[in-house]
């Protein structure tokens, strides 16, 4: 099943004690102080923040923070125009990240095809190329989830074969195995693997 950026079980939970805590900024400052003792180092944080404002507040020079605004954006020109404007305004003079997919969400080509109501290879290729153009030309550091460079899509994993036990237990149906499949090494039915 395809999930969109905002429809995973994590988003339906109440996060009183596990995200956006006031002590996080002091902890990050201490961590970054230690990292900064080594010249040429940097960090990247997946901080599960609530929106651009929290991501920007957690940023420091050479210490990037993922913001999820593009990952959560619907595949329409108007949605991307608004998301890009919001991230540019929010990040202003700071250096943002660019993220369209990760290990917790359906791959963006699969999400966008679902939005379009399409499944054909030609549309998938066009979507992958357009998404890559967006991801690799916006201001910021792009992060490619493995397989994005070949337009990878989610694979179908029957619930009975799901290995993502935590997600299946939490949601009863949701599993991230489809976006976590190994990289395809060929275009054949076995993706270059043998049984």
């Amino acid at each position: 099943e395809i999930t969109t950026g905002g429809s995973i079980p994590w988003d339906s939970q109440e996060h009183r004690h596990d995200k956006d805590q006031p002590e996080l900024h002091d902890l990050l400052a201490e961590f970054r102080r230690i990292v900064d003792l080594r010249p040429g180092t940097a960090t990247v944080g997946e901080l599960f923040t609530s929106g651009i404002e929290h991501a920007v507040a957690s940023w420091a020079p050479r210490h990037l923070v993922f913001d999820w605004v593009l990952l959560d954006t619907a595949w329409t020109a108007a949605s991307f125009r608004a998301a890009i404007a919001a991230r540019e305004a929010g990040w202003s003079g700071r250096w943002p990240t660019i993220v369209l997919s990760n290990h917790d969400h359906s791959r963006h080509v699969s999400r966008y095809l679902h939005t379009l109501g399409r499944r054909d290879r030609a549309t998938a290729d066009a979507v992958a190329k357009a998404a890559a153009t967006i991801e690799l030309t916006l201001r910021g550091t792009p992060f490619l989830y493995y397989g994005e460079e070949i337009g990878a899509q989610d694979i179908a994993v029957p619930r009975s074969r799901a290995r993502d036990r935590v997600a299946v237990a939490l949601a009863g149906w949701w599993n991230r195995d489809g976006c976590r499949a190994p990289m395809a090494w060929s275009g054949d039915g076995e993706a270059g693997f043998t049984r």
Side-chain angles (χ1 to χ4, degrees):
E1 173 139 357
I2 303 297
T3 59
T4 58
S7 64
I8 62 173
W10 169 268
D11 294 331
S12 64
Q13 297 170 342
E14 186 177 342
H15 297 278
R16 283 188 259 167
H17 305 291
D18 66 340
K19 78 179 214 182
D20 300 334
Q21 299 299 302
E23 64 270 18
L24 176 62
H25 293 286
D26 291 339
L27 175 66
L28 288 175
E30 176 64 13
F31 181 78
R32 290 168 175 163
R33 186 190 66 72
I34 294 167
V35 170
D36 287 344
L37 293 174
R38 303 222 23 166
T41 59
T43 63
V44 180
E46 182 177 353
L47 302 177
F48 302 107
T49 59
S50 299
I52 293 174
E53 306 79 27
H54 288 285
V56 168
S58 300
W59 178 91
R62 292 187 355 272
H63 299 286
L64 301 175
V65 177
F66 287 135
D67 88 58
W68 307 116
V69 69
L70 294 176
L71 188 140
D72 291 334
T73 300
W75 189 247
T76 68
S79 295
F80 264 87
R81 184 174 29 256
I84 291 167
R87 70 185 293 277
E88 284 300 312
W91 285 98
S92 186
R94 298 170 191 90
W95 194 251
T97 60
I98 307 162
V99 180
L100 294 180
S101 290
N102 76 3
H103 63 278
D104 286 327
H105 292 77
S106 181
R107 290 180 174 275
H108 66 267
V109 173
S110 295
R111 291 193 323 267
Y112 300 153
L113 287 175
H114 182 72
T115 299
L116 295 169
R118 304 285 294 270
R119 296 187 106 136
D120 60 282
R121 181 81 249 161
T123 303
D125 287 346
V127 165
K129 288 174 184 174
T133 300
I134 291 167
E135 195 166 23
L136 299 173
T137 59
L138 286 176
R139 183 179 71 86
T141 299
F143 284 83
L144 295 150
Y145 181 49
Y146 79 95
E148 283 185 56
E149 64 276 24
I150 61 170
Q153 297 180 48
D154 294 349
I155 64 164
V157 178
R159 185 173 174 184
S160 63
R161 307 232 12 217
R163 297 290 178 251
D164 185 4
R165 299 293 182 202
V166 173
V168 171
L170 284 175
W173 59 266
W174 179 65
N175 97 62
R176 300 169 291 190
D177 293 348
C179 71
R180 294 177 174 186
M183 172 84 85
W185 293 99
S186 74
D188 66 20
E190 299 296 325
F193 294 92
T194 58
R195 290 181 186 237

